[in-house]
Amino acid sequence: MAHIYVYSPSGAVRDRAAFRRALRRLEAGGHAVEVDPAALASHQRFAGDDETRLAAIGRAAASGADIALTTRGGYGLTRLLPRLPYDAIAASVERGMAWVGLSDFTAMQMAVLAQRGTLTWAGPALMEDWATDTPDEITMACFDDLAQGVGEGTGWRLPLADLRAYPALAQAWHLHDAVLWGGNLSILAGLVGTPYLPAVVDGVLFLEDVGEHPYRIERLLTQLLLAGVLGRQRAILLGAFNRFTLTPHDRGFRLATVVDWLRAQLPDVPVLTGLPFGHVPTKVILPVGRRIEAVVQEREVLLFWD
């Protein structure tokens, strides 16, 4: 199907058996898989020191592959942003390469969009999705659509709470020509005030995060709100926020509380939930930096980019 270049720009891969299993699954799907020579490098918590990981990104850009796929997220790309090979990455995208990942990869996605207007894809990562006991069928189908160049859009079913919050949504909501952008909330908030956060106006911002308690999610959203980022959007799409633990001290403060609060701060910007994206088995693939159309039909949200 596709020539896939697997590289490690962030955290180190510790489970080598799972790594090999994930590669076999990619190959069993008909893909030609090329593994970067430093994919299993390790330095402290990183997949090699900064120079090693920068070189891996450069090799991915020069590989001629159809897809550059990260092994995993973690942490490490933010410290590389001033030195990324922006021109080489942009040139690879012009030749047809799709850079795919999530989590820490958001830092690189935002930076190349801000610095060069380069489009990337928010989607699965090798260890997150192919190394599991049973890879998710929807995630795999979305990836195969990208590999075949046939993906034209995606969609999901709105929770009933969203329709109660926006009763007119199902009858008349249609956005034209809006830039889709976003990714991991913690990474995005950490880029505020830097030249690596795109200045997107009238866009559709999607967000997800993992291991963050609802009050920390609210604090990160508040940072984007006070920085003026959220109020400049035409819609905000919330994906999965998971792997956190509530405590008795919360006294009913939960994720739904945060969503209600955010909607109250943004009366003119719809905040929609249920986007199947994040650190969850079922995830769609989203074009970061691409202009889209968005429409709600009854309870179905549909995004189109081709």
Side-chain angles (χ1 to χ4, degrees):
M1 282 188 177
H3 173 193
I4 299 173
Y5 194 90
V6 173
Y7 70 111
S8 299
S10 300
V13 175
R14 303 298 187 196
D15 190 340
R16 297 195 173 202
F19 177 78
R20 291 190 294 270
R21 179 169 67 248
L23 293 178
R24 288 195 298 269
R25 281 179 170 153
L26 265 179
E27 292 169 342
H31 303 295
V33 181
E34 181 179 358
V35 179
D36 184 81
L40 293 175
S42 179
H43 171 72
Q44 298 173 344
R45 64 178 298 112
F46 308 107
D49 60 18
D50 291 358
E51 297 297 335
T52 297
R53 291 180 293 115
L54 280 166
I57 294 169
R59 286 191 294 270
S63 68
D66 301 303
I67 295 174
L69 181 68
T70 63
T71 55
R72 52 159 301 185
Y75 167 68
L77 270 166
T78 305
R79 61 195 280 172
L80 303 183
L81 298 186
R83 301 172 60 200
L84 286 181
Y86 290 100
D87 290 338
I89 294 169
S92 72
V93 173
E94 287 292 324
R95 293 192 299 268
M97 176 183 283
W99 294 73
V100 182
L102 79 162
S103 194
D104 191 57
F105 185 59
T106 300
M108 179 170 153
Q109 293 184 287
M110 294 300 96
V112 298
L113 183 59
Q115 294 293 309
R116 297 292 188 276
T118 301
L119 277 59
T120 56
W121 294 82
L126 184 78
M127 301 300 292
E128 175 85 14
D129 295 285
W130 280 272
T132 60
D133 290 337
T134 306
D136 184 84
E137 292 182 2
I138 293 176
T139 301
M140 297 298 102
C142 290
F143 184 81
D144 287 342
D145 283 349
L146 176 65
Q148 297 174 56
V150 297
E152 298 179 346
T154 192
W156 73 98
R157 192 168 177 81
L158 275 179
L160 287 173
D162 285 30
L163 294 181
R164 288 193 290 267
Y166 305 105
L169 200 66
Q171 283 73 42
W173 193 73
H174 192 175
L175 297 182
H176 295 273
D177 198 31
V179 173
L180 181 67
W181 70 297
N184 182 266
L185 173 61
S186 297
I187 299 295
L188 276 163
L191 295 178
V192 170
T194 76
Y196 306 111
L197 184 69
V200 178
V201 177
D202 292 333
V204 174
L205 174 64
F206 68 93
L207 299 168
E208 61 83 24
D209 217 319
V210 62
E212 296 289 354
H213 188 284
Y215 83 84
R216 292 198 291 268
I217 294 169
E218 182 177 300
R219 184 166 60 198
L220 292 163
L221 289 168
T222 301
Q223 184 174 2
L224 294 178
L225 179 70
L226 298 180
V229 175
L230 301 186
R232 293 195 296 263
Q233 307 309 309
R234 295 170 69 184
I236 295 169
L237 311 179
L238 300 182
F241 293 83
N242 58 338
R243 302 181 197 172
F244 59 81
T245 302
L246 298 177
T247 70
H249 181 71
D250 292 307
R251 299 287 183 91
F253 185 92
R254 53 200 178 95
L255 190 57
T257 310
V258 176
V259 175
D260 290 342
W261 172 85
L262 182 61
R263 286 170 171 163
Q265 312 311 305
L266 298 166
D268 299 322
V269 182
V271 178
L272 307 184
T273 68
L275 174 69
F277 186 76
H279 291 72
V280 287
T282 301
K283 57 176 69 71
V284 295
I285 293 185
L286 301 168
V288 177
R290 196 161 187 171
R291 293 191 174 274
I292 66 163
E293 288 190 44
V295 64
V296 173
Q297 296 178 350
E298 297 181 351
R299 285 183 62 185
E300 302 298 322
V301 184
L302 303 172
L303 308 181
F304 302 101
W305 50 80
D306 274 332

